Amino acid sequence: MRNLLLAGVSLGVIVPFAAQAQQQPAPPVAAPTPTPAPAADQGGVQDIIVTAAKREQNLQNVPISVTAVSEERLQTLNVTSTANISAVAPGIVFVPAPNPNVVQFVVRGVGTFAFADTLEQSVGVAIDGVPLGRVAGAVVDAVDISRIEVLRGPQGTLFGKSATAGLISIVNNKPNLHTTSFTGRALYGENEELRVQGTVNVPLIQDVLALRVSGWDFSRDGYLNAPKQPDGNIGDFHNMGVRARLAWQATPTLRFDASAEISSNWNDGTTTTTRSYLANDFLSYKGGPTIAQINASMGIVPGPNNRTIGVELQGIGGHVKPQFYQFEGNLDLGAVTLTSLTAYRRVKSDQIADYDYSASQANSYRTYQNYRSTTTQLTQELRLANAGNQKFQYTLGLFYYDLNVPQSSIEQDTLNVPTFPPPYYARGRQIQVTMNTKNYAAFADTNLRLGKFNLLAGARLSREESTGTFNRVSPQYAAGANGQDLSIFLPGSTAVGFPPYFVATSVKYTDFSWKVGGQYHVTSDVMAYVTASRAYKGPGFNFSNDLTASTFALNNAVVKQEIAHSYEVGVRAQLFDHTLTLNASAYRSPFDNFQITAGIPNALGGLTYTIINAGQIVAKGVEGDFSWHPRGALHGFSLDGNFAYNDTKYTDFANAPCFSGQTVAAAPTDTPGICAPIAIGSGATKQSVNGQRTVGSPEWQINLFGGYEHPVTDGLSAFLRTHWFHQTSIQYGVGANPGTLVGGYDTVDLSVGIRDRDDRWKLSVIGKNILDQMYTVRAVTSNPGLVQIIPYEAQSSWALALDVKF
């Protein structure tokens, strides 16, 4: 299969393929979403307007690898949030986590696996043009969106730091000044899944003032077995929110848009199950039961198919509450447009976790963790852009960013030996972290048209200043503060080996990022491009919970900035009267000082997680997509697809940690894949992982979408949509750890239904993973062994959806 696909890529030099085309056009940024005629009535592949360069452009003319996904496609597949974006866009992986503050997006095999709020991500997320400083709250529900754009490769010149691997840009619909409308959806499915959403648009003063309000309420019952929980399961969620947008056309040339969004997202606990046990099950005490024995008493059988969790603590789970306020002004000065964009974002997160142990049996542990954070950010952007039909096009801008991260977490192990005196009954620690980052930047993006050839150039000058504090103390609050069982909290106890500790640190950094390239329009429908770029991800702090004075002394806990270079070529083509789109891109991107969290075995027999810089990784690969929407005898049929081949590996990482259980060589060596002491007689070990794949990096991802629509009466049409997704295996640990290597999988989705041909309503039956393919989306080493995350989508599910529009 690989040879066949690579042969197809070779042909892409002549007739290539690379950015996902959709069936309906997206609107200009400052205008409301139009209601296009259904694609089945139009035929052909419709133009897609994107704002990847912060100006409106036909996607086929954009010289970067970008995918634009419409809300209609997301709804057809019941893709309800950015967490499932890999189901429609190539080259991207979402990696969930028990704590929503440490989930990851991975693009082209590059992501940031860091268990700390003091590092930003390699994959940026922007909502309506505003970059998010932290991933917390970046998993958003797809409600009343115009499109989601996935930009692959460094985006440092226009979107700044934290976009060294790529950017996910969510573009919401703006108010329509002219028309009153309502759109809504109601979906009911298995596991009591219920999704209700609606959007109303009302011109308050015709052509002058309009209000657009969206509301949603999404919920579903748990899907994993939890015999110690009252309802016998875990994995419930309940998301609800409201977004209000106000548009004011103050003059024919001046428009203001204000928006406010508040949402609340609840979950009922960590969804990790035990995959296997470690040899050092040190959490049991003396003659007490091992974790394996405790789990076995509840019928838990560890393994890739384990869907049972032994968690006992009641009321576990979490609550994430994002708030987003934005004010945008656009002044049309004729030849240029002046834009001001001010935004404030606040995300509050509170998570309570209890792991797969049991405190109800003598001589056993209950491990409890409570994590709290409140992230706030203020951004201001001012930019000037000229009209898109000029020979020389430019976007010039200034940017200011102020991020605050106060975070606190508490960990406590409770040993069920009541006869022991309190100092031996429990141990714990509370970590209090603060961080403030200010960033100042000036940027420019230019395009000079010389006949069929375009010269591209961009630059961004940034100044960044960060300060932070780390304070490890005896626990000050715990379960009791959340109405939980007070018996697991003993004030004044301290985790063994991690005494109270306080440090403060700071870092300043100046960066110059750039991009150069060229475009050549072979014909009006065929374009080729080549680009080279540099971007950076800001420095951060190694404030892992296990921080010690010796670790801090190495570099004041500063994690060096991550630098990315990228070289990309691509071609885009539309053929046969725009019924066929074929695009392709190839890239090579070295990343220096790559920031990563790694688990290092400690003296207690467990793992100490710390943040380090890998010397270098290199991402390289090929991406492509096609869209075929024929006319004539095949009118109503459509076939779309995309693929990503990725070969991202460590190229300079000789001091990587060994994984738990790895055989240790007798003498030091730099042979890749061999765990060895750092010196003769030393108990400290390391390994070289040069030549091995990076964390979260599948070799292949493939999507195929098929659709057919046919009139059944003068006013009704029946439709069928299918989707096949293929992903190869992924390594979720640094090195060749067989325990954290997760196998690949294939899923098939189906949507069938009937709709009004004027698009006023649509009734759909939606099947997800209809072949019931079991799979895992994360595996990590965590006491008592290897744990994994099995998503809800790793099972067959069916739902009925009604969409209305008037």
Side-chain angles (χ1 to χ4, degrees):
M1 182 175 185
R2 176 185 299 183
N3 293 335
L4 177 62
L5 285 171
L6 290 178
V9 171
S10 300
L11 291 176
V13 174
I14 303 173
V15 219
F17 32 106
Q20 176 75 30
Q22 301 297 317
Q23 295 183 0
Q24 65 183 34
V29 174
T33 304
T35 304
D41 293 337
Q42 293 179 344
V45 179
Q46 304 303 305
D47 288 340
I48 309 208
I49 305 301
V50 297
T51 52
K54 296 201 173 183
R55 63 162 68 95
E56 296 173 28
Q57 291 178 284
N58 186 327
L59 185 145
Q60 290 301 111
N61 293 325
V62 177
I64 61 176
S65 181
V66 55
T67 294
V69 185
S70 69
E71 185 177 34
E72 188 276 335
R73 170 150 289 177
L74 296 174
Q75 288 187 342
T76 295
L77 299 173
N78 198 24
V79 174
T80 56
S81 79
T82 51
N84 306 116
I85 194 64
S86 62
V88 288
I92 184 169
V93 172
F94 174 73
V95 183
N99 187 332
N101 291 62
V102 293
V103 299
Q104 310 295 332
F105 290 101
V106 181
V107 171
R108 291 179 170 176
V110 180
T112 302
F113 288 81
F115 301 99
D117 277 345
T118 50
L119 282 187
E120 56 200 14
Q121 305 302 305
S122 298
V123 179
V125 177
I127 299 177
D128 292 327
V130 178
L132 307 186
R134 290 296 181 267
V135 74
V139 178
V140 298
D141 294 307
V143 177
D144 193 36
I145 66 167
S146 170
R147 64 194 175 276
I148 296 177
E149 298 176 12
V150 179
L151 286 63
R152 289 175 290 275
Q155 307 298 323
T157 55
L158 284 173
F159 292 95
K161 64 198 190 83
S162 72
T164 48
L167 179 82
I168 300 169
S169 176
I170 298 105
V171 183
N172 294 304
N173 289 316
K174 290 189 174 183
N176 186 321
L177 293 168
H178 318 295
T179 306
T180 299
S181 64
F182 174 81
T183 59
R185 161 170 272 214
L187 179 144
Y188 180 77
E190 295 184 77
N191 287 87
E192 300 298 321
E193 181 177 12
L194 180 62
R195 298 178 181 270
V196 180
Q197 66 186 74
T199 299
V200 61
N201 187 97
V202 180
L204 303 177
I205 303 176
Q206 190 69 24
D207 303 331
V208 175
L209 188 68
L211 177 67
R212 190 179 188 94
V213 179
S214 299
W216 59 95
D217 192 324
F218 301 160
S219 62
R220 189 190 63 228
D221 285 350
Y223 63 97
L224 296 175
N225 301 319
K228 296 288 187 176
Q229 294 297 302
D231 57 1
N233 61 63
I234 203 167
D236 302 46
F237 81 88
H238 186 190
N239 297 351
M240 58 191 305
V242 62
R243 179 192 308 129
R245 313 198 68 164
L246 186 69
W248 177 32
Q249 191 74 48
T251 73
T253 59
L254 178 61
R255 172 169 168 151
F256 296 105
D257 285 270
S259 65
E261 178 179 325
I262 300 176
S263 59
S264 288
N265 306 326
W266 291 271
N267 65 79
D268 76 341
T270 175
T271 53
T272 57
T273 68
T274 302
R275 190 176 179 91
S276 64
Y277 298 112
L278 293 175
N280 56 328
D281 183 5
F282 66 92
L283 286 178
S284 59
Y285 183 81
K286 294 184 176 179
T290 65
I291 304 304
Q293 291 170 335
I294 293 172
N295 283 346
S297 70
M298 289 182 275
I300 297 175
V301 179
N305 296 323
N306 177 21
R307 290 178 173 268
T308 303
I309 299 175
V311 59
E312 280 194 327
L313 185 64
Q314 307 299 307
I316 61 173
H319 180 207
V320 180
K321 186 177 181 180
Q323 300 178 51
F324 195 24
Y325 307 95
Q326 180 175 323
F327 183 78
E328 178 179 350
N330 286 279
L331 177 61
D332 185 354
L333 299 173
V336 297
T337 298
L338 178 65
T339 299
S340 174
L341 182 58
T342 308
Y344 174 78
R345 185 171 179 87
R346 182 177 187 268
V347 180
K348 182 179 180 180
S349 178
D350 193 346
Q351 306 292 320
I352 303 171
D354 182 23
Y355 298 98
D356 242 6
Y357 322 137
S358 173
S360 63
Q361 302 186 45
N363 297 340
S364 65
Y365 276 99
R366 170 184 284 165
T367 300
Y368 164 90
Q369 186 178 63
N370 186 194
Y371 175 92
R372 294 176 172 181
S373 72
T374 301
T375 302
T376 63
Q377 75 168 59
L378 174 68
T379 60
Q380 171 64 53
E381 182 170 289
L382 188 68
R383 64 178 183 265
L384 192 69
N386 67 341
N389 58 355
Q390 302 295 316
K391 180 178 180 180
F392 179 65
Q393 300 174 20
Y394 60 83
T395 299
L396 309 175
L398 299 172
F399 180 77
Y400 170 74
Y401 165 95
D402 187 349
L403 174 75
N404 285 283
V405 183
Q407 168 237 313
S408 178
S409 65
I410 184 171
E411 299 175 349
Q412 189 147 9
D413 296 337
T414 304
L415 182 62
N416 188 11
V417 188
T419 59
F420 283 6
Y424 301 96
Y425 185 85
R427 61 183 187 180
R429 57 185 176 177
Q430 181 174 339
I431 314 298
Q432 299 168 334
V433 168
T434 67
M435 182 178 183
N436 173 258
T437 297
K438 289 182 171 62
N439 184 275
Y440 313 84
F443 62 89
D445 183 78
T446 63
N447 186 326
L448 176 61
R449 188 168 64 248
L450 301 172
K452 292 186 175 183
F453 187 73
N454 288 15
L455 288 175
L456 313 171
R460 190 181 189 100
L461 180 64
S462 302
R463 174 64 175 175
E464 186 163 340
E465 302 171 358
S466 293
T467 59
T469 64
F470 174 91
N471 190 22
R472 184 170 57 229
V473 299
S474 299
Q476 304 300 309
Y477 71 87
N482 296 276
Q484 309 302 324
D485 183 1
L486 282 171
S487 68
I488 71 168
F489 171 54
L490 293 180
S493 56
T494 302
V496 177
F498 299 101
Y501 184 52
F502 174 84
V503 292
T505 189
S506 63
V507 62
K508 296 181 180 180
Y509 179 68
T510 300
D511 180 83
F512 181 73
S513 295
W514 50 264
K515 183 176 183 176
V516 295
Q519 280 179 279
Y520 182 70
H521 293 271
V522 182
T523 69
S524 60
D525 293 325
V526 179
M527 181 270 288
Y529 69 90
V530 57
T531 60
S533 61
R534 179 196 188 277
Y536 89 105
K537 185 174 74 168
F541 300 131
N542 178 16
F543 287 163
S544 60
N545 290 358
D546 297 339
L547 183 67
T548 63
S550 59
T551 304
F552 181 82
L554 296 175
N555 51 12
N556 292 331
V558 173
V559 183
K560 292 187 292 186
Q561 63 277 1
E562 179 179 295
I563 305 297
H565 290 83
S566 184
Y567 310 94
E568 183 173 315
V569 296
V571 192
R572 300 169 182 266
Q574 287 188 318
L575 309 172
F576 308 118
D577 193 23
H578 286 209
T579 59
L580 178 64
T581 297
L582 299 172
N583 300 312
S585 59
Y587 59 91
R588 185 181 188 276
S589 303
F591 288 72
D592 296 316
N593 295 330
F594 184 69
Q595 299 171 350
I596 190 169
T597 295
I600 300 175
N602 57 38
L604 298 176
L607 293 175
T608 296
Y609 285 92
T610 189
I611 304 168
I612 58 178
N613 288 102
Q616 187 186 72
I617 67 171
V618 174
K620 55 185 177 180
V622 180
E623 299 153 344
D625 71 74
F626 72 92
S627 292
W628 181 42
H629 295 195
R631 300 185 178 95
L634 294 178
H635 180 69
F637 174 78
S638 64
L639 183 63
D640 304 271
N642 56 56
F643 76 89
Y645 168 73
N646 180 267
D647 187 31
T648 300
K649 295 180 179 178
Y650 300 103
T651 55
D652 181 16
F653 195 9
N655 63 329
C658 303
F659 55 83
S660 182
Q662 187 172 5
T663 302
V664 180
T669 178
D670 287 329
T671 303
I674 303 298
C675 178
I678 60 175
I680 295 292
S682 173
T685 60
K686 68 178 181 66
Q687 65 170 321
S688 169
V689 293
N690 292 344
Q692 297 180 2
R693 298 188 68 83
T694 55
V695 176
S697 173
E699 185 177 22
W700 286 98
Q701 282 183 317
I702 304 173
N703 279 292
L704 282 179
F705 309 90
Y708 183 69
E709 185 162 335
H710 187 75
V712 293
T713 70
D714 288 341
L716 298 177
S717 288
F719 61 86
L720 172 71
R721 311 261 196 271
T722 60
H723 170 227
W724 170 61
F725 175 70
H726 170 76
Q727 180 172 285
T728 54
S729 60
I730 296 182
Q731 174 60 259
Y732 285 106
V734 176
N737 185 350
T740 53
L741 179 65
V742 171
Y745 62 93
D746 297 78
T747 59
V748 177
D749 304 324
L750 176 68
S751 177
V752 60
I754 193 166
R755 70 170 181 87
D756 172 72
R757 297 196 69 194
D758 292 331
D759 217 22
R760 293 174 299 182
W761 61 268
K762 178 174 66 175
L763 186 64
S764 310
V765 175
I766 301 172
K768 298 284 292 180
N769 190 6
I770 61 175
L771 301 182
D772 202 25
Q773 170 70 67
M774 174 68 177
Y775 60 91
T776 298
V777 292
R778 189 167 193 168
V780 296
T781 302
S782 178
N783 295 310
L786 289 166
V787 297
Q788 61 192 357
I789 295 180
I790 299 174
Y792 176 72
E793 291 77 13
Q795 61 185 356
S796 174
S797 65
W798 292 87
L800 179 68
L802 174 65
D803 295 280
V804 296
K805 182 185 300 184
F806 55 83

